[in-house]
Amino acid sequence: MNIFRLTGDLSHLAAIIILLLKIWKTRSCAGISGKSQILFALVFTTRYLDLLTSFISLYNTTMKVIYIGCAYATVYLIYMKFKATYDGNHDSFRMEFLVVPVGGLACLVNHDFSFLEILWTFSIYLESVAILPQLFMISKTGEAETITTHYLFFLGLYRALYLFNWIWRFYFEGFFDMIAIVAGMVQTILYCDFFYLYVTKGQGISL
Amino acid sequence: HALQLPHDEL
């Protein structure tokens, strides 16, 4: 554990909580891509199946459970509780365009050709592109609410902080995980355009 | 060492 890893995790947690609270408090999921949220729920589910097979630390287990719980709570709010406010017409990105190629890649490029490891690899690849339906939705409607941009900022910041974590771990522990590093770079790059808008325009974005 | 399974990150 180092400072980049910890702040990365907290940034990730902040993003998840911000989105959940925003939907809950406003009783609306307008402007939020339900498809991105389904993909994130799928990411956490496939990555954290190791909860059943290996124990890393109390911190690790607690965070995993919170991430999974929040992901499903968010999907529930969007598709069940506040379904009437869900903007399905603008959430038109096709999930299979991400899930199918990513599944194929996970089978081809992985650390170990085993069931759990392929699911872990799938989750890493899928996470790197899971935000695309949300970004697509914003580009389609041409705007994003302030709180939505805070959500995206913390979600993007988290993986960027992990990149520093991996540099740290490479120098001080000799540790590196090429699959996570490359996917993490792709993921961070996807947010660059958004970061630029967030910093220059600040808060609410209208294209 | 490089990567060792299981994965210890989130």
Side-chain angles (χ1 to χ4, degrees), chain A residues 2 5-6 8 14 20 32 45 58 65 67 75 78 85 92 106 130 133-134 145 163 175 177 179 181 188 205-206:
Chain A
N2 57 64
R5 164 80 198 281
L6 181 62
L20 204 49
I32 302 300
T45 308
L58 186 60
V65 170
Y67 286 173
V75 169
I78 295 173
T85 63
S92 50
Q134 180 66 61
E145 284 176 36
L163 293 179
F175 171 93
D177 178 343
I179 286 177
I181 290 170
T188 304
I205 285 175
S206 58

Side-chain angles (χ1 to χ4, degrees), chain A:
Chain A
M1 180 64 79
N2 57 64
I3 190 68
F4 299 112
R5 164 80 198 281
L6 181 62
T7 49
D9 287 346
L10 293 178
S11 174
H12 197 183
L13 187 63
I16 292 169
I17 302 280
I18 285 171
L19 182 65
L20 204 49
L21 279 181
K22 170 200 151 65
I23 296 174
W24 184 256
K25 294 275 183 190
T26 62
R27 323 294 288 174
S28 164
C29 57
I32 302 300
S33 166
K35 291 183 177 173
S36 276
Q37 296 309 314
I38 288 178
L39 293 177
F40 282 125
L42 187 58
V43 163
F44 290 136
T45 308
T46 50
R47 186 174 310 168
Y48 298 156
L49 280 178
D50 65 355
L51 276 171
L52 307 171
T53 60
S54 52
F55 178 80
I56 308 290
S57 67
L58 186 60
Y59 169 83
N60 195 283
T61 300
T62 308
M63 292 296 260
K64 284 175 176 173
V65 170
I66 293 175
Y67 286 173
I68 292 180
C70 288
Y72 279 96
T74 305
V75 169
Y76 165 75
L77 291 184
I78 295 173
Y79 286 96
M80 309 280 279
K81 194 163 177 61
F82 302 125
K83 189 182 191 342
T85 63
Y86 170 55
D87 192 6
N89 288 332
H90 285 125
D91 193 13
S92 50
F93 198 96
R94 300 278 292 273
M95 283 189 286
E96 58 270 34
F97 288 170
L98 298 178
V99 172
V100 173
V102 157
L105 188 62
C107 290
L108 291 173
V109 184
N110 52 56
H111 293 306
D112 179 34
F113 199 81
S114 66
F115 180 66
L116 277 185
E117 188 56 25
I118 286 173
L119 285 183
W120 178 87
T121 311
F122 170 79
S123 82
I124 290 289
Y125 293 152
L126 184 62
E127 183 190 346
S128 69
V129 294
I131 200 60
L132 286 177
Q134 180 66 61
L135 296 177
F136 182 70
M137 192 174 180
I138 291 175
S139 73
K140 240 187 148 187
T141 60
E143 58 183 8
E145 284 176 36
T146 305
I147 303 180
T148 308
T149 64
H150 293 330
Y151 162 72
L152 284 168
F153 174 74
F154 282 109
L155 197 60
L157 179 65
Y158 132 72
R159 220 45 172 173
L161 286 166
Y162 256 72
L163 293 179
F164 291 104
N165 158 56
W166 290 323
I167 293 170
W168 178 286
R169 293 192 71 176
F170 179 73
Y171 278 104
F172 293 101
E173 300 170 28
F175 171 93
F176 67 95
D177 178 343
M178 200 47 82
I179 286 177
I181 290 170
V182 173
M185 287 169 66
V186 169
Q187 187 169 339
T188 304
I189 288 168
L190 289 182
Y191 285 85
C192 283
D193 191 36
F194 165 78
F195 283 145
Y196 175 75
L197 289 172
Y198 183 82
V199 171
T200 55
K201 297 199 176 184
Q203 308 181 349
I205 285 175
S206 58
L207 302 172

